[in-house]
Amino acid sequence: MTKKKLFTTKNLAKIAILSAIATVLMYFDFPLPFIAPPFYKIDFSEVAVLIGGFALGPMSAAVIEFMKILLNLLFTSTQTAFVGEISNFIVGCAFVVPAAIIYQRNKTKKGAITGLVVGALTMTVLGFFSNLFVVIPAYVNIMGLSLDMIVGMGTKIFPVVTNTFTLVLFCTTPFNLIKGFTVSLITALIYKHVSPLLKK
C-alpha cells in the first residue's frame, strides 16, 4: 500500500479502530509461569495488528503497532522505563510486518500461513538477540535490579538456567514461540470473518 493510499480518511479510520482494539487487548495480558518469569506476559493485541496488516498492508501494521503502544502509554504510563514498550514495538513489528508483506504478495491461504510462520519465527529470532544483548541488560541497569535475581527467576522454572544466555534460550524463546503460535492460530481462524468489514 502506497503512502497516498494509506493516508486516506477511510484507512486512517480503520487504523484508529484497530489500534484501539489492540490497546484494549493489551490489558488482558497474563504470564506463563511454567515457561518464563512473570515479567514476561502474553497478550493477543498482535491479532488486531495482523488483521490490519493483512487487510491494509505492512505499513499499516507498523502504524497500528506503534499506536497501540502509544495509547497504552497514555492510559497507563510505563512500568519499565520504556524498555518494555520499545521491545514490544520492535519484536511486534518483527512479527507483523514480514507476515503482512508475504500475505500482500500472495493473498491465499498458503500465503497467510507462510506469512504467519515467517513472522512468528522472525519475532522469535529477533526476540532472542534483543533480549540477550539489549532488553534484559537495559532493564536491569535502568531499574536498578540484580541480574542474578532475574536469572534466578528462570532457574526456579528450569534449573539449567544459570545466566542471561540460558534464560533467553530456555525461557524467552519458548515464550515467544508460544505467543507466535497462539496469535497466528487466532488470526487464521478469524481473519476471513472480519476482513469483509475492513474492505467497506
Side-chain angles (χ1 to χ4, degrees), residues 11-197:
N11 283 335
L12 286 175
K14 295 173 183 177
I15 288 171
I17 292 170
L18 289 167
S19 298
I21 293 172
T23 302
V24 171
L25 290 174
M26 284 187 76
Y27 286 100
F28 298 96
D29 60 355
F30 55 92
L32 298 178
F34 57 93
I35 289 291
F39 57 84
Y40 285 110
K41 294 184 178 181
I42 189 170
D43 66 70
F44 299 117
S45 59
E46 253 70 53
V47 172
V49 185
L50 281 167
I51 289 172
F54 280 7
L56 305 173
M59 189 179 297
S60 296
V63 172
I64 296 167
E65 187 71 33
F66 176 79
M67 289 302 299
K68 75 156 190 181
I69 292 170
L70 180 62
L71 289 170
N72 185 262
L73 280 171
L74 290 174
F75 288 111
T76 63
S77 74
T78 181
Q79 297 179 350
T80 61
F82 300 104
V83 174
E85 287 77 19
I86 293 171
S87 174
N88 194 312
F89 176 72
I90 294 172
V91 174
C93 282
F95 186 5
V96 301
V97 172
I101 289 173
I102 292 172
Y103 181 72
Q104 288 294 310
R105 293 178 177 176
N106 182 17
K107 292 186 177 183
T108 63
K109 183 177 180 180
K110 181 180 179 180
I113 293 173
T114 302
L116 291 169
V117 170
V118 170
L121 292 177
T122 303
M123 175 187 70
T124 302
V125 172
L126 183 62
F128 177 88
F129 289 106
S130 66
N131 274 272
L132 180 62
F133 295 113
V134 180
V135 176
I136 293 177
Y139 185 70
V140 167
N141 289 329
I142 293 173
M143 300 300 290
L145 300 174
S146 165
L147 181 58
D148 290 338
M149 181 187 75
I150 300 296
V151 172
M153 293 180 183
T155 307
K156 290 180 180 179
I157 303 170
F158 300 113
V160 71
V161 173
T162 57
N163 52 36
T164 308
F165 177 81
T166 50
L167 173 67
V168 174
L169 180 63
F170 292 104
C171 294
T172 309
T173 299
F175 176 89
N176 282 331
L177 284 172
I178 291 172
K179 178 178 179 178
F181 174 78
T182 53
V183 168
S184 295
L185 179 61
I186 294 170
T187 303
L189 290 173
I190 71 173
Y191 176 68
K192 286 300 181 181
H193 299 287
V194 301
S195 61
L197 298 174

